[in-house]
Amino acid sequence: MSFDATILSSPIEYLKGVGPLRADLLKKELQIFTFKDLLDHFPLRHIDKTKVNTIASVNQSMDYVQVAGTITEIVTLGENRSKRLVATLRDATGEMELVWFRGIQYIGKGIEVGRPYLVFGKPGYFNSTLQITHPEMENYTPEKAGGRSWLEPVYPSTEKLKIKSLGGRQIGKLTSGLVSSLTERDLPENLPESIVRHFGFPTRFEAYSRIHFPASEPEYKAAVDRLRFEELFIAQLRMGLIRLERHRYSKGVVFAQVGELFNTFYHQYLPFALTGAQKRVLKEIRQDMAHGRQMNRLLQGDVGSGKTMVALLAMLLAADNGFQSGLMAPTEILATQHYTGITGLLKDMPVNVALLTGSTKAAERKKILKGLAAGEIHLLIGTHALLEEKVAFQNLGLAIIDEQHRFGVEQRARLWKKAAIPPHILVMTATPIPRTLAMTAYGDLDYSIIDEMPPGRKPITTVHRYEYARASVMDFIRSEIDKGRQAYIIFPLIEESEKLDLENLMRGYENVKAFFPEPKFWISMVHGKQTPDVKETNMQRFVRHDTQIMVSTTVIEVGVNVPNASVMVIESAEKFGLSQLHQLRGRVGRGSEKSFCILLTGPQITNEARERLKTMCATNDGFLIAEKDLELRGPGDIEGTRQSGMLNFKLADIVRDKSWLDAAKQFAESVVVTDPSLQSAENLRLKAYLHSQKGKHAWSKIS
Ligand code: ADP
Ligand code: MG
């Protein structure tokens, strides 16, 4: 059996009516490269063209209307930019205007006074006159209205495409041509018969034709349901199989014993008692590593929940068993901070720790690489510099990735290759992802969660303040500094212009300086345009409490730990997403003092931004915030999931389609349990389908 073969994998330029020029645009604007991509370019909605509205019944709240009437008058009005063609359309119930700003001459010639037309478009009012701008027009004959019994698809397009005659309607024409040239053989069934029957789904071929050109609303809905289910089911099945394969076959190094290093550290140097959650997670990790198969575990824990200590203990366990570990952080600042913290904790222990980043000097680097190869370095901490091929370990047993969302799946896979038997992998993320989402996004990973904060933390008080209250906010910072505390002031990065961002930050810095003059106060500033050295120096001055205020862009977002800081001011807070706000807030509340987060905004903010600020003020719970974020933005945008490759569904939305997701999971699981090699007659099509998709996903390992 062949899936989506030959015709559907043809390059889009070969489709009738496309050609090289339009193909280029389709590729650039809509990522449509093949016939199949066009088939997967689904309509936004359908318009019922069987319905003709009376003009009297039309009002502005209607999305689209179709009216039939006679043109009674046609004139050109206005000059220059407001020059327009205005036609009056009348039916038995009333009148309305049709207006064109572009193509005036051409359209004017085509329209005849006294003739009946069928007119279609979005109604609106201008100077309290009902009108449609740039309507679609057709000659009207009564037979025509009755003769149609279909829904017309409306496709997403872009301005650029519209200019080149590839607007929604033209895309519809191309799609229509494509669909009518296809047969069942081009889109064979891929779901097991029992599933198709269970849900009463249309066949795959039917579903694809009907999602574009349904005869009725229910037919459309059934097509969408089927394709949604298919998407979710195939994704779940794939991950289920990968997981199973890993559990069954992947070899892992065995960390059989809890030894000297772990025990000594645990009993003599651990600066605090572990929380229950930390202990539980550590146990889960230990179990993974003791059983001869490779660990691939995602550790989720809110900011400040103490993931680093879990990582350190796991690395000691590796050392106890004669293996090296690597700890990888997304920024130099963070890697350096881990290094400083960990070497501090291990200073009286016989463990060699090294730091390797992009700015490690050549001589030092050489020494480190030698030490690694010789097995003399037990823990290597660093940035993605660790991934470079030259970085060769003697026997890497455990790789830990801190703050997952900056690392993609591919980078994770590169770590596997650093040892003969792939090292255990622990991925730690502070971006709380709702559980369902995590299971879907990282279904190929096992999952641990630290859902408890270390004791003694005082909740952070969060408030929203408007610009005009800036002076009192600064007074508040001063009062905290007078008590010996420190403060962060964060400025947003708006990707559109680095230059503007920097200017904005500089202005902010001068402003803060005016409130906090030297030599009584000292201010650190860190931003993305600085060299790592400068960043580091400024950061360290703040860490050492040589400066009381840190003015920065979001470079400090991830992981930085200065327990003495008690105030976080976020400038233009309306410009940040929820998870980012939460991450930033997590920089304070790390010590024993009461901490504050102040969200500063201008007077005008959107409802959605207001909702975000409200959520921040109402709760400190990262998981609640993640749920809210999901609700506000949808899963595609959730930080930490973008790279998972599992959430870019074309049709399905794992929040809205939760019940389909559950069903898909259940059916996929049952296939994984009963017929993991997909050998039964019923599952052969699944096997063939997965095979045909191989290579389309980097993480697909099914053979
Ligand atoms: P994150 O999970 O955000 O990486 P960290 O590992 O940086 O959190 O821990 C935050 C702070 O909490 C650190 O100062 C750390 O020493 C402290 N900490 C971690 N675990 C505990 C614990 N069980 N009891 C008290 N403090 C802890
Ligand atoms: Mg951390």
Side-chain angles (χ1 to χ4, degrees):
M1 197 176 337
S2 71
F3 271 93
D4 302 349
T6 50
I7 180 168
L8 281 174
S9 54
S10 314
I12 193 67
E13 47 264 51
Y14 298 136
L15 187 68
K16 197 162 166 258
V18 178
L21 281 179
R22 289 174 131 195
D24 263 4
L25 272 173
L26 286 170
K27 287 174 200 174
K28 272 202 205 97
E29 295 287 302
L30 298 172
Q31 281 76 53
I32 293 176
F33 293 88
T34 63
F35 287 16
K36 179 66 174 21
D37 293 337
L38 181 66
L39 198 61
D40 281 337
H41 188 64
F42 299 119
L44 289 170
R45 59 174 177 276
H46 289 85
I47 298 157
D48 185 352
K49 287 227 166 159
T50 59
K51 207 160 57 194
V52 177
N53 309 75
T54 59
I55 290 179
S57 73
V58 172
N59 65 61
Q60 195 159 10
S61 71
M62 298 160 107
D63 263 351
Y64 284 90
V65 295
Q66 182 162 249
V67 288
T70 315
I71 299 289
T72 57
E73 195 189 353
I74 182 158
V75 289
T76 310
L77 300 173
E79 283 186 39
N80 299 326
R81 291 186 59 190
S82 65
K83 189 168 173 190
R84 60 200 185 273
L85 182 71
V86 180
T88 307
L89 181 78
R90 179 183 295 161
D91 73 0
T93 67
E95 275 186 3
M96 72 189 303
E97 283 184 355
L98 310 177
V99 183
W100 291 266
F101 294 94
R102 280 171 278 120
I104 292 177
Q105 275 205 330
Y106 167 78
I107 291 161
K109 268 188 224 152
I111 297 176
E112 259 175 71
V113 172
R115 228 188 139 131
Y117 285 97
L118 193 61
V119 175
F120 176 82
K122 162 120 188 75
Y125 283 95
F126 184 73
N127 289 340
S128 68
T129 306
L130 184 63
Q131 53 175 232
I132 300 179
T133 34
H134 287 265
E136 289 174 21
M137 308 270 292
E138 281 175 41
N139 291 333
Y140 180 70
T141 49
E143 313 85 74
K144 212 168 188 173
R148 285 193 282 190
S149 59
W150 43 267
L151 298 168
E152 187 172 298
V154 179
Y155 290 93
S157 179
T158 68
E159 281 309 316
K160 269 198 191 134
L161 285 171
K162 277 179 198 155
I163 292 167
K164 300 283 177 200
S165 307
L166 271 173
R169 291 195 95 195
Q170 284 93 352
I171 290 177
K173 274 192 191 140
L174 296 178
T175 308
S176 164
L178 172 61
V179 168
S180 55
S181 74
L182 297 176
T183 66
E184 288 269 3
R185 284 188 40 204
D186 299 313
L187 286 161
E189 186 54 72
N190 57 1
L191 297 177
E193 192 51 41
S194 59
I195 291 182
V196 175
R197 230 178 307 118
H198 176 92
F199 291 105
F201 282 148
T203 67
R204 187 152 177 264
F205 172 71
E206 286 166 344
Y208 268 108
S209 6
R210 291 175 189 172
I211 195 170
H212 291 284
F213 306 105
S216 67
E217 188 67 37
E219 200 178 276
Y220 171 73
K221 211 185 151 295
V224 171
D225 280 347
R226 189 227 133 93
L227 293 175
R228 256 185 207 146
F229 176 87
E230 181 184 318
E231 241 183 342
L232 294 166
F233 173 78
I234 296 291
Q236 292 297 315
L237 178 66
R238 208 179 242 137
M239 281 195 302
L241 292 174
I242 291 174
R243 249 169 81 134
L244 181 81
E245 184 192 40
R246 204 161 42 69
H247 283 182
R248 272 198 182 164
Y249 306 113
S250 80
K251 255 203 193 159
V253 287
V254 181
F255 296 173
Q257 52 164 341
V258 177
E260 185 77 26
L261 294 172
F262 184 98
N263 281 324
T264 307
F265 181 79
Y266 196 90
H267 296 294
Q268 290 179 31
Y269 300 112
L270 195 65
F272 38 67
L274 293 186
T275 62
Q278 283 171 315
K279 280 188 195 157
R280 172 169 42 75
V281 167
L282 202 61
K283 212 187 226 163
E284 287 163 359
I285 293 171
R286 260 172 56 188
Q287 263 164 14
D288 276 359
M289 300 196 300
H291 286 107
R293 61 166 206 245
Q294 187 207 11
M295 171 175 82
N296 268 279
R297 186 169 282 278
L298 174 70
L299 170 57
Q300 260 205 62
D302 208 344
V303 216
S305 62
K307 294 183 291 295
T308 316
M309 191 50 77
V310 171
L312 176 56
L313 287 163
M315 292 192 288
L316 289 177
L317 213 58
D320 266 338
N321 288 275
F323 286 94
Q324 295 167 295
S325 327
L327 170 60
M328 202 157 69
T331 63
E332 286 208 35
I333 292 179
L334 194 54
T336 308
Q337 190 173 292
H338 275 319
Y339 177 76
T340 316
I342 287 174
T343 45
L345 285 164
L346 295 181
K347 67 179 186 303
D348 297 322
M349 305 252 319
V351 181
N352 289 330
V353 188
L355 175 69
L356 183 69
T357 69
S359 51
T360 304
K361 298 276 181 310
E364 173 70 6
R365 198 182 147 84
K366 216 165 147 192
K367 212 176 93 196
I368 291 176
L369 294 186
K370 227 171 123 197
L372 273 182
E376 285 151 13
I377 292 172
H378 307 109
L379 309 187
L380 180 64
I381 298 173
T383 53
H384 48 268
L386 256 67
L387 289 173
E388 286 164 25
E389 229 158 275
K390 287 205 191 95
V391 181
F393 292 79
Q394 188 191 53
N395 60 351
L396 179 64
L398 170 66
I400 300 180
I401 304 171
D402 195 11
E403 314 295 354
Q404 147 80 7
H405 60 278
R406 309 269 170 116
F407 287 104
V409 181
E410 258 171 49
Q411 281 153 319
R412 221 196 294 153
R414 269 160 80 179
L415 282 168
W416 297 8
K417 300 192 188 112
K418 287 206 171 276
I421 298 179
H424 296 300
I425 298 205
L426 181 67
V427 171
M428 307 198 293
T429 170
T431 311
I433 307 167
R435 198 184 162 84
T436 46
L437 192 56
M439 300 307 280
T440 308
Y442 299 110
D444 62 321
L445 297 177
D446 296 307
Y447 180 73
S448 286
I449 178 168
I450 303 185
D451 49 6
E452 178 188 353
M453 284 295 191
R457 292 280 163 80
K458 304 214 173 82
I460 303 162
T461 299
T462 304
V463 294
H464 171 202
R465 292 283 180 269
Y466 290 102
E467 274 290 332
Y468 59 74
R470 177 177 298 275
S472 73
V473 169
M474 295 298 147
D475 283 343
F476 177 73
I477 295 178
R478 187 172 302 127
S479 72
E480 284 291 297
I481 290 177
D482 286 344
K483 287 191 229 155
R485 317 270 179 272
Q486 289 161 279
Y488 292 99
I489 302 177
I490 307 294
F491 287 81
L493 276 180
I494 316 152
E495 276 168 33
E496 286 150 39
S497 160
E498 284 183 9
K499 192 164 154 269
L500 283 181
D501 285 344
L502 199 59
E503 277 172 17
N504 190 29
L505 178 73
M506 289 307 175
R507 225 180 359 251
Y509 174 70
E510 292 304 327
N511 204 325
V512 175
K513 236 170 141 173
F515 276 99
F516 298 95
E518 295 171 2
K520 182 160 190 272
F521 302 98
W522 297 96
I523 306 171
S524 282
M525 178 165 63
V526 174
H527 59 79
K529 293 265 118 180
Q530 291 166 333
T531 63
D533 274 2
V534 174
K535 257 188 241 173
E536 182 56 29
T537 310
N538 288 334
M539 196 65 225
Q540 284 308 329
R541 289 182 67 212
F542 188 65
V543 172
R544 285 196 310 265
H545 203 168
D546 292 346
T547 60
Q548 298 95 339
I549 298 175
M550 162 65 76
V551 171
S552 128
T553 53
T554 47
V555 288
I556 63 133
E557 181 190 338
V558 177
V560 171
N561 192 24
V562 181
N564 189 51
S566 65
V567 188
M568 166 64 64
V569 177
I570 303 178
E571 298 270 355
S572 307
E574 74 275 17
K575 299 205 168 112
F576 291 88
L578 257 181
S579 77
Q580 216 181 2
L581 288 173
H582 181 64
Q583 285 281 322
L584 287 169
R585 177 170 62 183
R587 297 309 111 214
V588 296
R590 307 192 137 226
S592 49
E593 300 307 327
K594 169 125 194 71
S595 293
F596 304 87
C597 175
I598 301 166
L599 307 171
L600 269 176
T601 74
Q604 246 144 37
I605 47 180
T606 63
N607 284 339
E608 204 187 303
R610 192 174 302 280
E611 195 65 19
R612 289 197 294 270
L613 300 173
K614 233 171 74 190
T615 306
M616 285 296 293
C617 296
T619 180
N620 277 296
D621 182 331
F623 285 90
L624 274 181
I625 288 172
E627 300 277 359
K628 187 77 195 174
D629 202 17
L630 192 58
E631 189 189 306
L632 287 176
R633 297 199 299 172
D637 281 334
I638 298 296
E639 201 75 37
T641 60
R642 231 169 274 149
Q643 286 146 327
S644 85
M646 281 311 305
L647 296 173
N648 305 325
F649 293 119
K650 294 196 183 84
L651 282 171
D653 170 328
I654 62 168
V655 181
R656 185 196 56 205
D657 304 324
K658 176 91 173 49
S659 55
W660 281 119
L661 177 64
D662 291 342
K665 247 189 208 156
Q666 201 186 326
F667 278 90
E669 229 151 75
S670 121
V671 172
V672 172
V673 169
T674 56
D675 184 21
S677 39
L678 306 178
Q679 270 167 339
S680 74
E682 148 128 331
N683 291 331
L684 280 180
R685 5 164 118 154
L686 269 177
K687 188 172 188 161
Y689 179 73
L690 290 182
H691 208 84
S692 76
Q693 299 294 297
K694 228 176 129 181
K696 292 194 181 167
H697 303 271
W699 37 268
S700 167
K701 284 197 279 171
I702 294 145
S703 53

